[in-house]
Amino acid sequence: MTRPDVLIIGAGIIGLTLGYELLQRGKTVHLLEQSTVGQGATQAAAGMLATDEELLAPLHELARLSRKLYPEFVQQLFDETGLGSGYLEQPFHMQQAHHWRTFDSVGQVDPRLFAQALRSAIERRGGGIEEATVVARLVRDGQTVTGAETNRGLRVGRQIIVAGGRGSEELLQTVGVTINTLPVKGECLSVRLTTGQLNRTLFGDAVYLVPKADGRIIIGATERVSDESTTVSLNSIRLLLNAAIKLYPPLAEAVFVEAWSGVRPQTGDGLPYLGSVDGIDGLFVATGHHRHGILLAPATANVLADCLMGQMPRVALDGFNRRRQEESR
């Protein structure tokens, strides 16, 4: 294969948005995905573009940029591909200490549709995507990372971005780079109402309900720390359904559609790792977004593309540097 400007390891929502952003900026891009596009934590997400009430303070500026970018971003994807991303803006009701707080309009996307639209746009712009490609280790030449050894042979790039979710930690260790993540499994299910319609997101203490444009209601999500299995337990479904029906009683007569799970990468302090890797040329990281990967994807792509191109990012990334864990000791 020819040597692309940027080799991206991971084709979840973070890797895909990065690929698309860089292609727009004139870079050649190749993505490697160990399974299939968007089939990790991305397909398991509910797709809420969360309010700042749900976020740690250091994420507010990054989230604000993402929410600003989203409407134009998904419209451009539609114009290029004809594929919608399930973007909606709806009232958002959030339970706080037994009281409800209402936001008039909060956005959401359908992560599966969003990933499909991104894939199509990347391929239309000439980007490459290799699925079923497992990266064993990064390849380092002195102080520069030049590529990755995979089950399909060597893959190279002038710059390398590790955006492999939970797998990023083990991969970075192959070149002596340490980050601190842990797996958090989330289980969700979807239903359809037989009568009536839910036209607002309900975010309760124990469960959330996210109505989609196709009529489904997403019910989520469990948080099972250190669980990397891909199963969904009956007990989890029972707990989610009981909490959901208590929050919105009409769900008692809803029709079950499906259940699924995904493993999200959580960091020790709850903040993602974003930016260049100090001491190693050509290596960048974008991982650890935990529950907010969908929300933060456009902003992550925007600021990281700035970093790769030697520009000042729109959001300062000092607080997301991987060395913060060493400095805090």
Side-chain angles (χ1 to χ4, degrees):
M1 63 175 287
T2 59
R3 187 185 188 194
D5 294 325
V6 185
L7 181 69
I8 300 174
I9 300 171
I13 210 65
I14 299 299
L16 290 169
T17 49
L18 278 164
Y20 181 64
E21 177 75 20
L22 289 163
L23 285 163
Q24 289 187 90
R25 298 191 188 201
K27 296 289 189 180
T28 55
V29 174
H30 195 81
L31 292 94
L32 306 178
E33 170 54 46
Q34 65 177 355
S35 56
T36 56
V37 167
Q39 288 303 300
T42 295
Q43 59 84 30
M48 292 179 289
L49 308 185
T51 68
D52 283 353
E53 299 294 322
E54 303 165 58
L55 304 174
L56 295 172
L59 292 175
H60 290 178
E61 190 175 358
L62 200 62
R64 194 171 299 117
L65 174 59
S66 248
R67 285 191 288 261
K68 180 179 179 180
L69 293 172
Y70 249 110
E72 182 177 346
F73 192 96
V74 295
Q75 182 61 52
Q76 183 172 330
L77 284 177
F78 179 77
D79 292 342
E80 290 187 24
T81 68
L83 299 175
S85 300
Y87 183 80
L88 291 175
E89 292 189 11
Q90 293 180 324
F92 185 100
H93 297 247
M94 183 176 187
Q95 194 173 25
Q96 293 180 314
H98 305 295
H99 297 285
W100 285 94
R101 183 173 179 184
T102 299
F103 300 83
D104 292 335
S105 182
V106 172
Q108 60 157 290
V109 294
D110 184 317
R112 300 177 189 182
L113 297 180
F114 190 30
Q116 291 171 12
L118 281 163
R119 176 179 192 160
S120 178
I122 287 169
E123 292 175 339
R124 285 169 178 265
R125 285 179 174 265
I129 298 176
E130 280 189 271
E131 297 178 307
T133 304
V134 180
V135 178
R137 67 181 184 92
L138 297 174
V139 176
R140 182 171 176 172
D141 182 7
Q143 293 302 307
T144 302
V145 168
T146 59
E149 287 284 0
T150 81
N151 60 321
R152 296 185 172 190
L154 178 65
R155 296 295 183 265
V156 296
R158 293 178 178 85
Q159 293 172 306
I160 314 296
I161 304 175
V162 176
R166 172 63 182 145
S168 298
E169 180 173 350
E170 184 176 359
L171 185 57
L172 288 166
Q173 287 174 350
T174 65
V175 288
V177 175
T178 302
I179 61 173
N180 175 27
T181 65
L182 71 160
V184 182
K185 175 179 170 179
E187 296 157 295
C188 295
L189 64 136
S190 64
V191 301
R192 291 183 186 275
L193 292 172
T194 54
T195 60
Q197 182 180 6
L198 179 63
N199 57 8
R200 62 195 184 278
T201 295
L202 300 178
F203 195 97
D205 291 332
V207 70
Y208 56 71
L209 310 179
V210 187
K212 295 297 179 180
D214 63 3
R216 290 176 303 132
I217 298 173
I218 308 299
I219 301 173
T222 60
E223 287 200 341
R224 303 180 69 160
V225 178
S226 300
D227 186 345
E228 295 193 77
S229 68
T230 58
T231 56
V232 179
S233 75
L234 291 178
N235 188 52
S236 293
I237 292 178
R238 178 182 64 83
L239 292 172
L240 287 171
L241 283 175
N242 287 345
I245 292 169
K246 182 177 180 181
L247 188 65
Y248 188 67
L251 285 178
E253 300 301 321
V255 175
F256 176 81
V257 178
E258 64 173 326
W260 63 90
S261 69
V263 179
R264 301 165 294 200
Q266 171 69 296
T267 64
D269 60 7
L271 303 177
Y273 294 106
L274 300 175
S276 60
V277 176
D278 296 342
I280 301 182
D281 295 333
L283 181 60
F284 299 80
V285 63
T287 195
H289 292 74
H290 188 38
R291 293 173 55 184
H292 306 300
I294 303 297
L295 165 64
L296 299 176
T300 294
N302 186 278
V303 299
L304 208 58
D306 285 341
C307 289
L308 266 75
M309 301 184 76
Q311 301 170 359
M312 182 68 69
R314 293 168 66 176
V315 176
L317 298 181
D318 295 345
F320 306 112
N321 189 294
R322 73 164 192 96
R323 288 196 180 277
R324 68 183 187 265
Q325 64 194 37
E326 300 168 7
E327 295 166 356
S328 64
R329 291 172 185 168

